[in-house]
Amino acid sequence: MVRVYYYDNIPGDQRLPHDSGKPVSLSTLEEIGVSYWYVPVEGHESKIEQIAKEREYKNRDVINVTKEGLGELYESKIKMFFEEHLHEDEEIRYVLSGSGYFDVREQRSDAWIRVGVEPGDLLVLPAGIYHRFTLDETNAIRSMRLFKDEPKWIAHNRGVETDSNPYRVEYLRSIGVGA
């Protein structure tokens, strides 16, 4: 079962658990627009196809985030992934191997919620949600990325301009915050 909890905000290696000891329910994730499924990796094809069809995902690829896979870009990519940002598209990740953490902002408290992902976890972050990603101490994750259209990955780091991004505004409206 996926581990979801409030991030402790104690300085230190981002790849450590940073578990505050305060668990978060899957219903709390749903309230902020985050969807989660567990789909066993062995024999996952039909269930992933069903979800892709239902959610209109037309494209996919596989990303390997490892020191070997990213080479000299590894440290800069890990740092970039951990910057607080949003996307104008859903971010869909299905973990095939390895593990890591997605942190998502709980809008009402501005607290980080940490989601520890492992093989079989399928996480969908809505367009406009502030989030970040990091590996854990295993330093490796292999994930399928699904896309509604052509694959793209444009991060908009948090700031005054991003706070007024139409996708951010729509996200806030969708969870009942703002006008």
Side-chain angles (χ1 to χ4, degrees):
M1 186 64 177
V2 68
R3 287 188 55 227
V4 185
Y5 52 88
Y6 287 102
Y7 184 83
D8 66 13
N9 285 316
I10 296 172
D13 187 341
Q14 68 196 38
R15 298 170 199 174
L16 295 175
H18 287 278
D19 190 341
S20 66
K22 298 175 188 168
V24 173
S25 68
L26 290 179
S27 64
T28 298
L29 284 183
E30 290 171 12
E31 289 170 13
I32 61 171
V34 176
S35 300
Y36 170 82
W37 292 268
Y38 177 75
V39 180
V41 174
E42 181 143 343
H44 71 272
E45 294 83 2
S46 65
K47 182 64 176 176
I48 295 299
E49 283 302 321
Q50 175 191 347
I51 293 168
K53 184 176 180 182
E54 288 170 4
R55 297 183 66 91
E56 299 179 356
Y57 301 144
K58 298 176 185 84
N59 294 297
R60 65 189 71 176
D61 67 11
V62 173
I63 184 171
N64 287 298
V65 180
T66 63
K67 288 180 182 178
E68 299 75 26
L70 296 176
E72 58 189 50
L73 296 176
Y74 175 78
E75 288 299 331
S76 66
K77 287 286 190 186
I78 293 300
K79 184 177 179 183
M80 180 183 71
F81 295 157
F82 201 64
E83 290 289 323
E84 184 173 6
H85 63 276
L86 63 78
H87 303 290
E88 294 180 346
D89 301 304
E90 288 183 337
E91 181 163 337
I92 306 98
R93 297 293 181 270
Y94 174 60
V95 181
L96 298 165
S97 63
S99 50
Y101 300 110
F102 278 92
D103 296 337
V104 293
R105 280 285 184 197
E106 181 181 52
Q107 179 57 37
R108 287 177 173 77
S109 69
D110 206 37
W112 282 115
I113 295 174
R114 178 155 272 195
V115 182
V117 293
E118 298 180 340
D121 290 334
L122 173 63
L123 197 64
V124 178
L125 306 181
I129 191 172
Y130 282 123
H131 66 282
R132 61 190 184 187
F133 171 78
T134 189
L135 294 172
D136 61 14
E137 294 174 283
T138 64
N139 290 319
I141 196 166
R142 182 172 174 259
S143 298
M144 180 185 297
R145 303 185 301 178
L146 296 110
F147 306 92
K148 289 195 178 210
D149 295 306
E150 289 302 312
K152 62 181 176 179
W153 192 90
I154 299 170
H156 300 273
N157 288 345
R158 188 171 186 175
V160 174
E161 188 174 311
T162 308
D163 285 343
S164 61
N165 177 298
Y167 291 88
R168 175 70 180 162
V169 172
E170 174 57 24
Y171 165 70
L172 293 174
R173 189 202 59 72
S174 75
I175 62 166
V177 176

